[in-house]
Amino acid sequence: MNMNLNNELEMQYFPKIEKLFKEELGLNIVENYGQVQMGINYIPDLFLSIQIGQFKVPVIVEIKNEISHIAQITRFINRVTHFEGIGIVSAYTIENKIKDKLKALGIGFHEIDKEVFLPFNLKLDQTKNPTPNSSVKSKGFRAESSIKLMLYFVCLPEALAFSQRELAEKLDLSLGTTNKALKNLEIVKLIISKGRKRYLGRFDEIVERWRISFLDFETKSHSLGRFSPLDDSFFSLWQQNVISLDSYWGGEAAASIRTHYLRPALFKIYTYNDRIGPLLQQLRLKKDPNGRIEITKCFWPGEINNPDGTVPDFVTYCELLNSGIDRNIETAEMLKEKLKSRLKKYEY
């Protein structure tokens, strides 16, 4: 499990959170991402993924010693309101009026050794596979088809006018899958249909939902591994390595090329090839689980990649936010302005 806990309070609380899910609720923690930047002004104390039946559900946890006033968790409440998953506050003592407020808002709380409330129909004496109610099932923004369609709209907003059949052909999806993905996006108001026209929802909401899905589920199933160069000249000459073989720079490398501002420390390469031997040979890379170079499969149409050999700016923007690194967040703001300017006339 990837732990990134950096203070005594979190080290003290995580075993209690783990015990809550595993022993009291019978739920497995699939992954602990630790502290991940969520938006410009908020980093949760814990960002987890739990298994509920067949669903993997993201969970953010806010940790306090005691909660006696709602102002202590206002920023957390504001973030959970736009979070596609479960939010929980955990403390030794929580005032009853605050617990009532959290219940009304559909936010979970964990008063250690006393009381637990989670915002779906789950009883503490249930068996190992509790069934979430429709509010969790309807979240639905997890499948590759949904994030592929949303990415296509953001990168090529003219496609909002395409028919379902055209979208299916462009994205290599069945017509039924495309219709379902479109409906999912409309349910969560990332796409808004008025008459025969479609519009984009709020940019920040699109980013929040897309990047968390991308981080939590897609990157793990598409990663082809980490690598290191055969010699360190790679890091000084990387821009001279024009990637061919249907592969593109992502992450910090793409941000460096697109903004001329960031000096990359970590490198991401996206490829359409399942066999990466020729790519490793071209770039002189070797397998290394701790390497600074990651290779990942592309799942979007090649037409939305940039001519300069980088992935779509929206993908790079979300990767920078997901990194939680200050210099990346700063660079992300540069890309954000370009993206918002491009999409403004397509928003509802």
Side-chain angles (χ1 to χ4, degrees):
M1 184 172 293
N2 177 26
M3 300 286 287
N4 185 28
L5 309 179
N6 61 8
N7 62 53
E8 293 182 3
L9 183 62
E10 290 162 356
M11 292 297 292
Q12 171 190 351
Y13 270 77
F14 181 75
K16 299 181 185 300
I17 298 294
E18 191 172 38
K19 180 181 177 182
L20 166 69
F21 284 113
K22 289 188 175 181
E23 298 183 18
E24 298 183 49
L25 302 178
L27 301 174
N28 287 324
I29 297 176
V30 180
E31 189 74 33
N32 172 19
Y33 301 102
Q35 296 185 314
V36 176
Q37 185 88 24
M38 302 182 70
I40 302 303
N41 298 314
Y42 183 71
I43 301 176
D45 292 318
L46 288 171
F47 180 21
L48 311 170
S49 175
I50 63 173
Q51 188 81 36
I52 303 180
Q54 63 178 316
F55 298 94
K56 291 180 182 178
V57 181
V59 180
I60 55 176
V61 183
E62 181 85 357
I63 296 170
K64 302 289 184 184
N65 273 319
E66 57 83 26
I67 304 174
S68 57
H69 196 283
I70 199 71
Q72 292 175 260
I73 52 174
T74 299
R75 190 163 53 174
F76 170 76
I77 290 172
N78 291 338
R79 177 53 54 190
V80 171
T81 301
H82 302 290
F83 179 62
E84 193 70 6
I86 298 171
I88 299 174
V89 292
S90 181
Y92 281 102
T93 305
I94 306 175
E95 290 288 331
N96 287 333
K97 61 182 179 180
I98 295 178
K99 289 189 282 189
D100 291 340
K101 177 70 172 178
L102 292 171
K103 286 182 180 179
L105 293 172
I107 297 173
F109 61 79
H110 174 219
E111 192 174 27
I112 295 172
D113 298 328
K114 297 176 185 176
E115 185 178 357
V116 174
F117 168 74
L118 294 185
F120 51 82
N121 295 333
L122 178 65
K123 296 179 181 179
L124 296 185
D125 59 354
Q126 270 185 266
T127 58
K128 292 287 184 180
N129 291 305
T131 302
N133 68 5
S134 59
S135 68
V136 175
K137 287 183 179 179
S138 67
K139 298 304 183 184
F141 191 48
R142 301 291 172 228
E144 180 181 304
S145 56
S146 293
I147 73 168
K148 183 188 285 188
L149 181 59
M150 189 69 253
L151 178 63
Y152 193 62
F153 283 145
V154 171
C155 297
L156 191 70
E158 296 86 352
L160 289 162
F162 289 2
S163 69
Q164 283 92 326
R165 190 170 298 279
E166 287 177 300
L167 291 170
E169 291 175 357
K170 291 284 188 180
L171 297 172
D172 194 25
L173 299 172
S174 70
L175 184 58
T177 298
T178 302
N179 289 337
K180 184 176 180 180
L182 188 57
K183 184 177 180 180
N184 285 343
L185 297 179
E186 290 174 343
I187 287 173
V188 295
K189 300 188 184 302
L190 300 189
I191 298 297
I192 299 170
S193 294
K194 292 296 179 181
R196 295 187 176 184
K197 288 190 174 183
R198 300 189 194 101
Y199 300 89
L200 295 175
R202 293 179 60 249
F203 178 79
D204 290 341
E205 181 72 9
I206 290 171
V207 170
E208 197 68 13
R209 292 176 185 268
W210 195 91
R211 75 182 183 84
I212 290 173
S213 294
F214 184 55
L215 169 70
D216 198 18
F217 299 101
E218 299 305 322
T219 55
K220 292 187 178 300
S221 61
H222 287 84
S223 178
L224 296 172
R226 288 190 171 276
F227 304 85
S228 289
L230 294 179
D231 62 76
D232 289 342
S233 64
F234 173 93
F235 298 113
S236 58
L237 303 174
W238 70 272
Q239 281 188 287
Q240 297 178 25
N241 291 318
V242 179
I243 303 178
S244 56
L245 303 171
D246 286 330
S247 301
Y248 298 83
W249 291 113
E252 295 179 19
S256 176
I257 293 171
R258 301 298 286 172
T259 66
H260 305 290
Y261 179 75
L262 182 69
R263 182 177 179 180
L266 301 173
F267 295 80
K268 192 80 166 278
I269 297 171
Y270 287 87
T271 184
Y272 290 94
N273 297 290
D274 288 326
R275 295 179 65 252
I276 59 172
L279 181 61
L280 299 182
Q281 186 175 11
Q282 180 191 37
L283 297 180
R284 293 174 52 78
L285 304 179
K286 61 183 178 181
K287 190 80 172 179
D288 180 356
N290 299 312
R292 291 164 56 188
I293 305 160
E294 182 179 7
I295 301 179
T296 299
K297 289 185 288 186
C298 276
F299 60 86
W300 54 82
E303 66 177 300
I304 62 175
N305 290 314
N306 295 313
D308 59 8
T310 60
V311 299
D313 289 349
F314 184 80
V315 174
T316 301
Y317 173 66
C318 290
E319 285 186 298
L320 295 178
L321 292 182
N322 281 345
S323 73
I325 300 172
D326 288 344
R327 58 187 173 82
N328 288 355
I329 303 297
E330 184 179 352
T331 309
E333 285 298 298
M334 299 179 183
L335 290 175
K336 180 179 181 178
E337 293 309 311
K338 293 180 181 179
L339 289 165
K340 291 193 72 171
S341 176
R342 162 96 166 113
L343 299 175
K344 186 176 182 180
K345 69 177 182 179
Y346 297 96
E347 292 179 344
Y348 179 70

